[in-house]
């Protein structure tokens, strides 16, 4: 009888321990295996949505270059590729606009990707229906080629966008990257550039880059001569060089204004006549009589201009 009582007591104690373990806090090995881990919150990197004209205008005014995807829906052809390309090119603010009522204000008739630029007051559009191919890599190239700012550093890629722009006059800033004047010069002239938006593009040429030796040569310059400032008119294929001296906003502004007013071009013709006369009479080289370079610059930037609707641009 006592043995039975002892067995009942042991079984009761085992049952009590089992219940207590189930109700009590889990042991470490239980926590490692069965503990609940909530999923990480998704990263909030969605592009902003522009729902009316005022929102679009504010977005365009927010930066020197912006890009907007005008798509009827998120499932439209090219929409996902646009979002992927926009996330890859982080230097250009991007947004989406699905409101067709807004499109007419920007001459958008169908699904279109458009870059808005302040430097040349231009919107560069890529119409999806006219494209031979739409992919993320192609759109990334479209963004970077057309990324023209108040001061654009010259590269073989940016040259394509620079020479496709409707603005055909370049103020060329020659400077050696890393020099004491490089940063201050670009900042000062960068502040001047908006004054000539739509009239001339400010182009920065790094004199230390061997790829730019030809551009320096057209102005008869060497890296040791820098910094210097010149003007190049694509349509007339003529170039002018600001005389040596301290480069200030006032001097550069006078230089630019003289071109806009036509005085620089008249001066070039006058110096050409005088120089030709002196050269003929006294065998004096013409270039020594003129404060400007009267030999055409003849820039030959190697690039291939894409056919209408083509996104891919091959750069040599």
């Amino acid at each position: 009888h006592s043995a039975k009582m002892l067995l009942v007591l042991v079984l009761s104690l085992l049952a009590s321990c089992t219940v207590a373990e189930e109700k009590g806090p889990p042991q470490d090995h239980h926590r490692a295996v069965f503990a609940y881990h909530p999923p990480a919150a998704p990263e909030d990197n969605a592009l902003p949505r522009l729902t009316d004209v005022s929102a679009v205008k504010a977005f365009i005014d927010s930066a020197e270059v912006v890009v907007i995807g005008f798509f009827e829906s998120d499932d439209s052809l090219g929409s996902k590729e646009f979002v992927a390309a926009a996330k890859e090119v982080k230097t250009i603010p991007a947004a989406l606009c699905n409101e067709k009522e807004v499109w007419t204000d920007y001459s958008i008739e169908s699904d279109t990707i458009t870059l808005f630029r302040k430097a040349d007051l231009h919107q560069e559009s890529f119409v999806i229906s006219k494209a031979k191919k739409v992919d993320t890599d192609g759109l990334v190239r479209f963004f970077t080629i057309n990324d023209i700012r108040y001061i654009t550093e010259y590269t073989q890629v940016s040259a394509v966008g620079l020479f496709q722009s409707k603005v055909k006059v370049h103020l060329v800033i020659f400077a050696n990257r890393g020099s004491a004047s490089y940063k201050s010069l670009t900042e000062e002239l960068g502040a001047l550039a908006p004054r000539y938006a739509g009239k001339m593009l400010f182009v920065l040429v790094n004199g230390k880059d061997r790829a730019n030796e030809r551009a320096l040569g057209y102005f008869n310059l060497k890296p040791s001569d820098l910094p210097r400032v010149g003007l190049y008119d694509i349509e007339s294929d003529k170039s002018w060089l600001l005389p040596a001296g301290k480069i200030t906003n006032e001097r550069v502004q006078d230089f630019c204004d003289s071109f806009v007013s036509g005085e620089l071009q008249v001066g070039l013709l006058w110096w050409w006549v005088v120089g030709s006369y002196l050269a003929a009479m006294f065998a004096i080289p013409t270039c020594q009589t003129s404060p400007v370079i009267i030999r055409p610059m003849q820039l030959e930037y190697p690039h291939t201009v894409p056919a209408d609707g083509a996104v891919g641009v091959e750069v040599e």
Side-chain angles (χ1 to χ4, degrees):
H1 179 73
S2 60
K4 290 183 179 180
M5 290 293 293
L6 181 60
L7 179 60
V8 172
L9 180 60
V10 171
L11 292 175
S12 299
L13 289 172
L14 288 174
S16 299
C17 291
T18 302
V19 173
E21 183 175 350
E22 291 177 354
K23 291 183 178 179
Q27 300 300 314
D28 288 344
H29 66 280
H30 289 161
R31 182 180 292 114
V33 176
F34 301 111
Y36 173 71
H37 297 285
E43 185 180 353
D44 186 13
N45 55 3
L47 298 183
R49 303 272 179 170
L50 309 176
T51 58
D52 53 40
V53 173
S54 60
V56 173
K57 185 178 185 303
F59 185 74
I60 293 172
D61 291 340
S62 66
E64 293 181 33
V65 180
V66 302
V67 60
I68 301 176
F70 295 93
F71 291 100
E72 189 168 348
S73 75
D74 292 348
D75 296 325
S76 298
L77 175 64
S79 179
K80 290 180 174 59
E81 290 81 1
F82 168 74
V83 172
K87 290 178 180 178
E88 186 170 337
V89 184
K90 300 182 184 300
T91 55
I92 303 178
L96 288 163
C97 180
N98 303 125
E99 305 297 329
K100 299 189 74 172
E101 295 79 6
V102 178
W103 295 9
T104 54
D105 285 57
Y106 298 95
S107 303
I108 306 296
E109 297 179 353
S110 62
D111 290 349
T112 301
I113 298 169
T114 302
L115 281 104
F116 295 86
R117 304 191 302 227
K118 290 185 178 180
D120 56 357
L121 308 178
H122 177 67
Q123 65 180 65
E124 183 71 23
S125 293
F126 174 69
V127 182
I128 300 297
S129 62
K130 296 181 180 180
K132 297 178 180 178
K133 180 181 179 181
V134 181
D135 59 22
T136 301
D137 290 341
L139 292 178
V140 168
R141 289 194 295 273
F142 175 73
F143 293 173
T144 53
I145 284 171
N146 291 289
D147 187 8
I148 307 302
R149 299 176 180 266
Y150 283 132
I151 288 188
T152 303
E153 182 166 1
Y154 172 73
T155 65
Q156 288 188 336
V157 175
S158 66
V160 180
L162 287 167
F163 279 81
Q164 284 181 336
S165 171
K166 65 179 181 180
V167 176
K168 300 303 181 183
V169 180
H170 295 173
L171 181 86
V172 189
I173 307 163
F174 295 98
N176 293 320
R177 185 186 297 278
S179 63
S181 60
Y182 183 87
K183 184 177 180 180
S184 60
L185 185 63
T186 53
E187 288 179 352
E188 290 177 10
L189 297 186
L192 182 65
R195 181 185 182 92
Y196 299 97
K199 298 177 182 178
M200 58 181 65
L201 299 175
F202 282 42
V203 182
L204 177 64
V205 176
N206 177 19
K208 284 190 173 182
D209 190 342
R210 292 178 62 92
N212 295 330
E213 288 179 353
R214 181 180 293 181
L216 268 70
Y218 288 128
F219 280 94
N220 291 338
L221 294 173
K222 303 183 297 295
S224 58
D225 299 325
L226 308 185
R228 294 295 296 273
V229 172
L231 267 169
Y232 175 57
D233 180 15
I234 297 174
E235 292 185 338
S236 67
D237 199 21
K238 296 292 191 301
S239 61
W240 297 260
L241 188 64
L242 182 69
K246 184 177 181 180
I247 300 174
T248 64
N249 274 20
E250 292 74 15
R251 289 189 70 212
V252 174
Q253 183 174 328
D254 290 343
F255 189 49
C256 295
D257 289 344
S258 67
F259 180 88
V260 173
S261 66
E263 294 176 11
L264 193 62
Q265 296 88 319
V266 173
L268 174 64
L269 178 61
W270 185 83
W271 277 107
W272 176 264
V273 173
V274 172
S276 298
Y277 172 77
L278 293 175
M281 295 296 295
F282 305 104
I284 298 175
T286 304
C287 62
Q288 294 181 10
T289 68
S290 172
V292 297
I293 303 298
I294 55 180
R295 177 174 53 80
M297 186 176 174
Q298 297 177 347
L299 286 175
E300 297 175 357
Y301 298 124
H303 64 275
T304 301
V305 178
D308 291 342
V311 175
V313 176
E314 297 179 358
V315 179
E316 296 181 1

